[in-house]
Amino acid sequence: MKFMRYIHLIFFLIFLGTALSIYFVQLGMLKVNKSTLANRLTELHMANISHQRAQLIRELVPDQTDNVIERRANEYKQHKIRTKTDITDIIIAPANSPLKYPITGFMVAPLKKSLIPGLALKTQERDITTNNREVYKVSLSVNKGVLSVKDLLDGDQVEGQGQSNLTISSSNITHLNDLLSRVTYTSTIYHIRTSDLGYFSFEDYKAIFPIMIKRPSIPVLYDPGQDINSKVTIVTKTFLRYKELNVLIQSIRKSYPEIKIIVADDSLKPERLSGNNIDHYIMPPAQGWFAGRNLVVSQLTTKYFLWVDDDFVFLNETRIESFVKIMEANPELDILGGEVSGEQFYFIFEYDNGDESEGGFLRRIRGFHQSLPNHDGCVLVDGVINFFLARTDAVQGVGFDPFLKRVAHSEFFIDALGKLMVASCKGLCVGHQAHQVQFKYDFYRIQGKHEEERKLAHLFFKNYLNYIKY
């Protein structure tokens, strides 16, 4: 019996020690082991994800796996070609190098001649004063263009003028640097967004610098006008909920009698909407959530739009001006979400592109990246609730996937990941009408198993994913 009591005591102490260790790790007291534990947990999590990813392929496309994967791989190759930059390595300037060059690179227009800024050769003072060197010789080369020395004079020792390899020599360092200051680069290919590398050498010293080849883009600006009506359009999508929609419109008009409202409507039997400054677009029946969003966003002429669901209701404290004030103070923001009936829903994504032959994995979690500076109650996130102010041109650049008809929200923010800057703020609020049971609406609204599987298979291909959790 004593032996059994000792055994029980040993197991209890082991359990207690484990529990205390986890507790102290949470308090930050076991700092030495904390990173080791985190790394191990990450390895276990990744191993679990890897197992689930393999199952997901079979579950989503059981009848045409090989065909789908082949098509998807081809599309991914095309995507990489469209988005590649040609610069994959971090370029670090060597210590004590006599070469001066644009280490961060410079930008040129395609097929246009441009001076390469900052080229020069620095030598020890004694080399210049004592003239120990008979000749200074530097070499430059590029891959996608040609090099020249502007305003070349007779007697200048330049070889390779107008070619991809250029050599400049001079017995006078001042004269050499004058020639280097007039070296130009001209791309020989037309592309709106690509890059080249410049190679610069002197004796055993070598340097590489990037050259960005980019067609200048023309700004697209929206005149903000003098008041909120010229800055913001309110947009929504409706389906079989005219009662709720009319309540929303009436609540908007109490605070904003003149602001423009755009409604996309794919109801089975459309009804007329009454009221001033309302654009009511009738769609084919049951085209879906994102198709309607695309429609309303395509018709915008204002800098911003406020998205609302058709069963929301404006409150006395619903002030669009508060959204605009924050957005104007933070031009880098593209979307700013608020609260719906006190709920400030937001989330971030954990994404890893994974193995290129299999695709990446994505997980949506509740949380934020960091606080928005100088704005209490505002945080930077990846996705927000269905009440947000957005920059028109930024959202138009991402769009809404019309394949997603019934249940879709996070999918837009998946497409916007890394493209749009998103934040969420407390105090920017709207109300939500009481839910009314509508059997016909619910029949279309509720997503069945088949619809969910189609959506996941679509994301599997389109977003090159093997695992997704949200």
Side-chain angles (χ1 to χ4, degrees), residues 237-240 265-270 282-292 402-406 440 443-445 451:
K237 154 75 172 59
T238 195
F239 178 70
L240 302 180
D265 185 354
D266 63 344
S267 297
L268 306 180
K269 295 181 179 180
I282 305 299
M283 303 168 59
Q287 284 299 293
W289 177 247
F290 272 9
F403 181 90
L404 304 169
K405 294 180 178 296
R406 300 292 166 253
K440 184 176 289 187
F443 172 79
Y444 283 91
R445 174 66 173 80
E451 190 74 19

Side-chain angles (χ1 to χ4, degrees), residues 91 101-103 197-200 206-210:
I91 301 172
Y101 58 96
I103 185 171
L197 290 174
Y199 299 86
F200 187 25
K206 301 181 186 300
I208 305 174
F209 54 90

Side-chain angles (χ1 to χ4, degrees), residues 159-222:
E159 298 179 8
Q161 182 84 334
Q163 300 177 30
S164 59
N165 295 281
L166 186 71
T167 301
I168 304 175
S169 305
S170 179
S171 59
N172 184 292
I173 189 70
T174 303
H175 179 235
L176 179 76
N177 282 332
D178 177 59
L179 293 173
L180 284 172
S181 71
R182 291 187 271 122
V183 174
T184 65
Y185 170 87
T186 308
S187 70
T188 53
I189 61 169
Y190 178 81
H191 197 288
I192 63 170
R193 185 177 56 256
T194 187
S195 61
D196 198 354
L197 290 174
Y199 299 86
F200 187 25
S201 63
F202 168 70
E203 295 184 339
D204 294 331
Y205 298 99
K206 301 181 186 300
I208 305 174
F209 54 90
I211 303 169
M212 283 69 73
I213 304 169
K214 186 176 184 301
R215 185 74 191 266
S217 56
I218 298 174
V220 177
L221 306 178
Y222 291 84

Side-chain angles (χ1 to χ4, degrees), residues 31-74:
K31 295 182 179 178
V32 175
N33 295 328
K34 188 172 182 179
S35 61
T36 303
L37 177 62
N39 291 337
R40 180 56 182 156
L41 290 174
T42 299
E43 291 172 3
L44 292 173
H45 175 64
M46 296 298 293
N48 184 47
I49 285 178
S50 178
H51 173 68
Q52 294 183 51
R53 283 186 308 180
Q55 289 183 330
L56 189 62
I57 297 177
R58 293 192 296 271
E59 292 170 1
L60 294 179
V61 282
D63 299 327
Q64 49 183 339
T65 299
D66 292 338
N67 191 15
V68 168
I69 289 177
E70 182 180 356
R71 297 202 317 270
R72 189 179 73 145
N74 290 334

Side-chain angles (χ1 to χ4, degrees), residues 309 312 335-349 364-368 377 379-388 408-411 413 422-429 470:
D309 284 351
F312 287 174
I335 293 178
L336 181 62
E339 301 177 10
V340 178
S341 295
E343 173 67 18
Q344 188 190 6
F345 175 73
Y346 53 78
F347 54 87
I348 62 174
F349 290 117
R364 189 188 78 181
I365 60 175
R366 182 67 188 263
F368 61 92
V379 290
L380 294 168
V381 297
D382 290 327
V384 294
I385 203 165
N386 260 348
F387 176 56
F388 58 81
H409 179 70
S410 297
E411 291 78 9
F413 293 103
V422 184
S424 177
C425 289
K426 280 184 173 296
L428 307 176
C429 60
Y470 59 0

Side-chain angles (χ1 to χ4, degrees), residues 370-431:
Q370 60 182 204
S371 298
L372 181 65
N374 304 316
H375 296 281
D376 293 339
C378 297
V379 290
L380 294 168
V381 297
D382 290 327
V384 294
I385 203 165
N386 260 348
F387 176 56
F388 58 81
L389 187 78
R391 296 183 187 276
T392 297
D393 57 346
V395 172
Q396 286 176 338
V398 175
F400 299 89
D401 186 352
F403 181 90
L404 304 169
K405 294 180 178 296
R406 300 292 166 253
V407 179
H409 179 70
S410 297
E411 291 78 9
F412 163 71
F413 293 103
I414 291 173
D415 292 343
L417 187 62
K419 302 171 187 174
L420 302 185
M421 193 84 159
V422 184
S424 177
C425 289
K426 280 184 173 296
L428 307 176
C429 60
V430 73

